[in-house]
Amino acid sequence: MKRKRQIFVLLLLPLLLFIFTISGSAEDMPYQFRFDERPEEAADGAYEAYIDKLPPEIRQQVGEAGDARGAVEKYNVSYFLSLIKNALSDALLPGFKTLSVLMGMVILSSVFRMLSKTVKNGSLETVFSMCCLLCMALTLYEVQKSVFVLVQSMLDMLSSTMLMMVPVMEAVYLTSGNVTGAAVSGTGINLMITFIQTLYANVLAPCVSVCFLLSITSAVSGNRGVSFMAGALRGIVTGALVLMMTLMTFVLSMQSGIASAADTFAAKTIKFALGSYLPIIGGTVADSFSMVSSSLGVIKQMAGVTGIVVVVIVMLAPLAGLLINRVALGMTGAVAGVLGCDREQALFRETGSLCTLLLAITVAAAVMYIFALSLFCRTSLAYG
């Protein structure tokens, strides 16, 4: 009888210790296993809250594929082609207005230049040419100012979208036992968001302003050295920003891989201990972890794919506007060259390079976020 009591106490103590450990951990981790709510329901609720926080126009474009579980296959090629078609059709009218304004200015500049050549005074002809070029620069700045605002709004929208996605990722990670992965992923993505939010105000806006002023100076003075300075500044800024984005993506990928391996090892150790040292109920609890992980895997894939689609939707409209604006600048520069307005052509070429810089940075930012969400989709759950 005494031996049976000893065995009962030895079995009871690990069970009580395990129950106390779960209770204590639940206070520190709000998404960890609770007795009043199933873990997959907590993660599913975080995903539904993410969908509800999206702007109405984005939620409408996401459509039924973002509402029903298992409908991710609706994101096929035709779906993305329709999104691209709609984005291009919406950007065509503003692009045509930009093209018509710039073409009209080039034609007026050509006519004014021809009339200025009738003046016998060479100095007066030079003053007329500079005034015409400055008027062209002012008009071009007013036209391109909307492009700068478009880029800023796109970066802000991307950051806001990813900021709303972080609680969903943490809920899935924590409820599946990826505690280290949740900390690494949250820290890495918050670093990306902070970088993108301060990118335009502290780097892109000053760089674009300086490069545009250098382009005007180069066009007015005809000095190719100033144009070289503007090109060098654009190259340095582009290289530095792309290097920073690549470095943050690499670090997040490396840390996520290490964290996933550590969480999986810890989870398998817990499952082995439960199955080995707690008879009967230990195996049942260990099997329940696998069932919970399977349900969370569905939520993880659905949330990750939906997040990628939302990033693509946010990116497409500004990207289409930037592309059409770049085409308009290229066409206007070509017409200026045909009409003999060499300085105006140089100004359009430099402004087009600025538009290419903004295009490259915005695409790099969107790709960085898409990679982070893809990494979230590929990360294995600890209790799987």
Side-chain angles (χ1 to χ4, degrees), residues 285-304:
V285 174
D287 293 338
S288 66
F289 285 159
S290 299
M291 296 176 60
V292 170
S293 180
S294 300
S295 179
L296 289 173
V298 177
I299 300 174
K300 177 173 70 73
Q301 294 295 328
M302 180 177 59

Side-chain angles (χ1 to χ4, degrees), residues 111 250 274 366:
V111 173
F250 170 73
L274 289 175

Side-chain angles (χ1 to χ4, degrees), residues 204 206-219 221 223-239 346-347 349-357:
L204 280 184
C207 174
V208 168
S209 301
V210 172
C211 288
F212 190 77
L213 291 176
L214 291 176
S215 302
I216 296 175
T217 304
S218 175
S221 63
N223 190 348
R224 293 186 176 180
V226 180
S227 178
F228 175 77
M229 291 173 57
L233 180 60
R234 289 194 303 269
I236 291 173
V237 171
T238 304
L347 181 59
R349 183 173 60 249
E350 294 295 328
T351 307
S353 299
L354 286 178
C355 189
T356 304
L357 167 66

Side-chain angles (χ1 to χ4, degrees), residues 12 52 114 131 150 184 194 266 276 284 305 317 347 371 381:
L12 181 62
D52 293 337
M114 291 176 59
C131 291
L150 182 66
V184 168
T194 304
S276 301
T284 304
V305 173
L347 181 59
F371 181 83
L381 300 181

Side-chain angles (χ1 to χ4, degrees), residues 37-59:
E37 185 179 17
R38 296 175 60 187
E40 58 271 24
E41 291 178 355
D44 200 3
Y47 171 70
E48 292 176 356
Y50 166 72
I51 294 296
D52 293 337
K53 291 180 182 178
L54 292 176
E57 60 275 7
I58 296 180
R59 197 185 314 130

